[in-house]
Amino acid sequence: MARTVFTTSTILIGMSLSSCVAFSPATTTSSSFSFALNAVEPPLNPLLSQIKPSKTVEVFSLVKQMEAEGETVTSLCVGEPDFAPPQCVLDAATAAMIGGQTRYTAVTGTADLRKAIAADLKSRKGVEYNPVSEIVVGNGAKQCVYQGLLAACGAGDEVIVPAPYWPSYPEMALLVGASPVILETSVDDGYLINPDALDKCLEEHPKAKVLMLCNPSNPTGGVHSTELLTQIAKVLEKYPNVVILADEIYERLVYTEDGQCTSFASLPGMFERTITINGFSKSHAMTGFRLGYLAAPERFAKATSVLQGQITSCASSVSQAAGVSALNEVDESWLENNVVIMKEKRDYVLQELAKMDGVSVSVPPNGAFYVLPDVSKYYNGDDTQLCLDLLKEKKLALVPGESFGAPGTVRISYATSMEELQTAMTKLREFLESL
């Protein structure tokens, strides 16, 4: 009886990048055979050629590699609070695991967490959302930003990204098929959006579908006042097809006299066109819990929930239980005390930078935990090389401003201990003085 015999060699279809030849096995009574393979790797998605890796992630990975090799590195590159989450949050996570809350939840999140989020936004921000249909809990705020963009725009559209920007914004725009349009801001304005410049930009880009609004800002720490936000909203009234993606993840870290950060969705006429992003990483030091949320009118929330259902499904059930505790059990004084501590660190960094020749901060940042000083007098403005040499010679890790759309600057995260900041500022001063 005839039989088909294959050797242990892999039998593959002869192929090239543009053709594929079908294979039909022959029959034989005794001999074995194999087929040669043209050594061609399957191509990757062409979209990847447009996407830049995150400089923050690259620097952080290099730091971890150096530390694994036994080197001691002072790192101010990652936006992560140095304090632990509140004890009640940790206890809630433990109780959830022991109590059996370890299974899938609804894609949009548990009812308890969505209710807590809606109640918090209503009481603190003056914005009312239906917890059933207008809140979507995700695996971190970054996922919520991406899904918000994916729901609001697509191929052929444009996304207005004010610079300096969080590096993921323009890359996410490319991932959804849209084109990022960079809106330059001025250092003399504290890198805040100029309403007239925004108006001009929108007029010149009729395909714009989304405005990215990070307030407070990463990487500048700038905070748009209620007055300025109102002026921006007035401009947007002329462009009703533009959706505002308001990334407000740092809104609990504001150092102005009133300590307030107005929610863009609370402004007249802006609720129906605003997708608000927030979470627990910065306010409650819950970065590893990967828990964020999106709050938006039902049509946007429903669209993002459909997307999330096909991408990751629900956020961690344990993290969600911790999130409920963060909103319902953490005393306001805990959050207020963290703001006081962060402000002290900010003031210290600004004080030390002011002593360094060739380093300037035109407008002190009033939020988040970043400073973006101008260091363009060194290295002919090559901030990337400056950071590489600084890491090599002084074991101090900062992130080049070029990756934020701000060449000639470096981003300093002061979300670390005061001792680490003192070491970092000494290293930076000594390095610059040696040039």
Side-chain angles (χ1 to χ4, degrees):
M1 179 178 176
R3 21 186 211 108
T4 303
V5 182
F6 299 92
T7 68
T8 54
S9 300
T10 303
I11 299 178
L12 293 163
I13 299 171
M15 60 187 172
S16 68
L17 290 178
S18 59
S19 64
C20 181
V21 179
F23 165 70
S24 298
T27 58
T28 182
T29 56
S30 60
S31 62
S32 63
F33 52 85
S34 63
F35 290 83
L37 168 67
N38 292 329
V40 177
E41 293 183 338
L44 296 174
N45 188 331
L47 181 62
L48 289 170
S49 65
Q50 303 178 51
I51 307 302
K52 301 174 185 176
S54 167
K55 284 288 184 184
T56 305
V57 173
E58 283 187 323
V59 173
F60 184 66
S61 298
L62 182 57
V63 168
K64 290 303 176 185
Q65 178 184 333
M66 293 172 68
E67 290 177 339
E69 294 171 354
E71 298 189 68
T72 300
V73 181
T74 303
S75 177
L76 303 184
C77 66
V78 177
E80 183 173 47
D82 66 311
F83 47 85
Q87 187 60 46
C88 64
V89 169
L90 302 177
D91 292 342
T94 302
M97 288 186 283
I98 294 174
Q101 295 183 47
T102 55
R103 300 186 179 276
Y104 293 132
T105 73
V107 169
T108 53
T110 65
D112 286 346
L113 181 54
R114 284 181 281 125
K115 287 177 182 176
I117 291 169
D120 180 63
L121 291 174
K122 182 179 180 179
S123 63
R124 289 195 309 108
K125 314 301 288 187
V127 189
E128 190 166 355
Y129 292 95
N130 184 331
V132 175
S133 60
E134 297 181 324
I135 303 288
V136 178
V137 177
N139 296 274
K142 179 179 280 191
Q143 178 181 11
C144 296
V145 171
Y146 177 62
Q147 291 175 174
L149 271 176
L150 195 54
C153 64
D157 294 329
E158 294 179 328
V159 177
I160 307 300
V161 181
Y165 46 72
W166 185 42
S168 293
Y169 290 153
E171 308 307 319
M172 286 181 178
L174 292 170
L175 282 171
V176 306
S179 299
V181 174
I182 306 304
L183 172 63
E184 298 294 342
T185 60
S186 170
V187 62
D188 295 329
D189 294 333
Y191 294 117
L192 302 178
I193 295 174
N194 181 295
D196 292 334
L198 175 62
D199 191 6
K200 185 174 185 291
C201 182
L202 289 171
E203 185 177 1
E204 293 174 350
H205 293 275
K207 293 182 180 180
K209 290 291 294 294
V210 175
L211 167 66
M212 304 299 302
L213 177 60
C214 186
N215 190 43
S217 167
N218 174 10
T220 71
V223 179
H224 292 74
S225 66
T226 302
E227 180 183 1
L228 181 53
L229 290 175
T230 301
Q231 294 173 15
I232 292 171
K234 191 69 177 176
V235 169
L236 289 165
E237 289 177 2
K238 298 168 56 178
Y239 307 94
N241 291 328
V242 176
V243 173
I244 300 86
L245 203 153
D247 186 348
E248 299 176 357
I249 188 71
Y250 294 96
E251 54 95 14
R252 295 304 305 249
L253 294 167
V254 175
Y255 316 121
T256 56
E257 190 171 332
D258 61 7
Q260 297 300 309
C261 181
T262 298
S263 174
F264 198 79
S266 70
L267 300 176
M270 292 298 113
F271 180 88
E272 291 299 328
R273 50 195 295 201
T274 300
I275 298 173
T276 299
I277 307 296
N278 211 325
F280 301 83
S281 293
K282 316 303 180 180
S283 57
H284 294 80
M286 293 169 62
T287 52
F289 284 79
R290 305 314 304 133
L291 190 65
Y293 65 82
L294 176 153
E298 183 174 354
R299 61 189 291 262
F300 291 122
K302 183 177 181 180
T304 58
S305 69
V306 170
L307 292 168
Q308 184 164 306
Q310 298 297 346
I311 299 174
T312 62
S313 191
C314 64
S316 160
S317 58
V318 174
S319 294
Q320 291 188 64
V324 173
S325 174
L327 293 177
N328 291 344
E329 298 180 36
V330 175
D331 193 271
E332 190 69 18
S333 62
W334 184 88
L335 294 156
E336 292 172 349
N337 184 60
N338 288 334
V339 171
V340 172
I341 294 172
M342 283 293 186
K343 184 177 182 297
E344 290 175 352
K345 295 175 180 178
R346 180 207 66 167
D347 292 346
Y348 170 75
V349 170
L350 291 174
Q351 169 189 306
E352 293 303 304
L353 291 176
K355 300 175 183 177
M356 301 180 196
D357 290 336
V359 178
S360 63
V361 179
S362 295
V363 179
N366 280 319
F369 35 63
Y370 306 110
V371 180
L372 194 73
D374 186 311
V375 293
S376 60
K377 291 185 179 180
Y378 297 95
Y379 282 80
N380 293 317
D382 188 345
D383 50 270
T384 297
Q385 192 59 51
L386 185 153
C387 287
L388 288 173
D389 288 351
L390 181 61
L391 182 58
K392 178 182 178 181
E393 296 180 23
K394 285 294 186 179
K395 305 298 185 292
L396 172 59
L398 305 179
V399 187
E402 182 183 8
S403 61
F404 302 99
T409 69
V410 293
R411 192 191 72 169
I412 296 173
S413 169
Y414 51 85
T416 187
S417 68
M418 185 61 79
E419 292 75 19
E420 191 83 343
L421 285 176
Q422 290 169 346
T423 299
M425 292 299 101
T426 297
K427 287 184 174 183
L428 179 58
R429 185 185 68 254
E430 291 176 348
F431 175 76
L432 296 178
E433 288 176 348
S434 70
L435 298 176

